[in-house]
């Protein structure tokens, strides 16, 4: 091993509001930097569970699935069943997410959304190999 992962960093126009969006999904704690409002942490209960949000002036969001504006990265979130993804969809849309695509699987699949800053993320269910 060369190193351990410190965090995933997501560029966005408003770090605090995007951190709050994902905090509502994960139940993780938002931590702001007093001297730098362009950087906000989201920390989970376990070791290594951190996402950072970095303010970028003139941020240009991806336009999934448009290859001219690629997603570059995305986050996958796991729920147990199709019924759970139905509930989760209502909740993330109430937070400001926009629905984009449903894989349509009856027992296993995913739904793609974009967050308020335009980054794609997925609500996955019934995926093999997840904890």
């Amino acid at each position: 091993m060369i190193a351990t992962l410190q965090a995933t960093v997501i560029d966005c126009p408003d770090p605090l509001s995007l951190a709050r969006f994902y905090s509502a999904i994960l139940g993780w704690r938002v931590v702001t930097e007093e001297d730098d409002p362009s950087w906000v942490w989201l920390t989970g209960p376990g070791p290594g569970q951190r996402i950072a949000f970095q303010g970028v002036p003139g941020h240009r969001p991806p336009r999934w699935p448009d290859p001219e504006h690629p997603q570059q990265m995305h986050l996958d979130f796991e729920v147990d069943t199709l019924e759970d993804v139905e509930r989760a969809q209502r909740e993330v849309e109430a937070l400001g997410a926009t629905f984009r695509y449903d894989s349509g699987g009856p027992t296993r699949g995913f739904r793609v959304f974009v967050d308020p800053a335009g980054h794609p993320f997925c609500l996955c269910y019934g995926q093999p190999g997840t904890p």
Side-chain angles (χ1 to χ4, degrees), residues 15-70:
L16 184 56
S17 71
L18 198 58
R20 287 178 176 155
F21 172 83
Y22 283 108
S23 174
I25 291 173
L26 293 168
W28 291 7
R29 186 170 58 100
V30 174
V31 179
T32 58
E33 299 281 336
E34 288 183 30
D35 60 339
D36 187 1
S38 70
W39 189 269
V40 178
W41 291 101
L42 189 60
T43 60
Q49 293 181 319
R50 295 194 327 169
I51 302 172
F53 301 88
Q54 174 177 263
V56 175
H59 176 261
R60 294 179 353 160
R63 295 184 192 159
W64 185 90
D66 181 356
E68 295 297 316
H69 302 270

Side-chain angles (χ1 to χ4, degrees), residues 81-126:
T81 66
L82 178 59
E83 292 76 25
D84 294 320
V85 88
E86 303 277 346
R87 173 199 46 80
Q89 177 169 347
R90 289 189 300 274
E91 292 178 12
V92 299
E93 287 176 333
L95 294 170
T98 303
F99 172 76
R100 290 287 191 242
Y101 174 78
D102 182 352
S103 70
T107 59
R108 176 178 149 190
F110 59 93
R111 292 189 184 169
V112 180
F113 301 83
V114 294
D115 68 25
H119 305 101
F121 71 92
C122 298
L123 293 176
C124 306
Y125 57 98

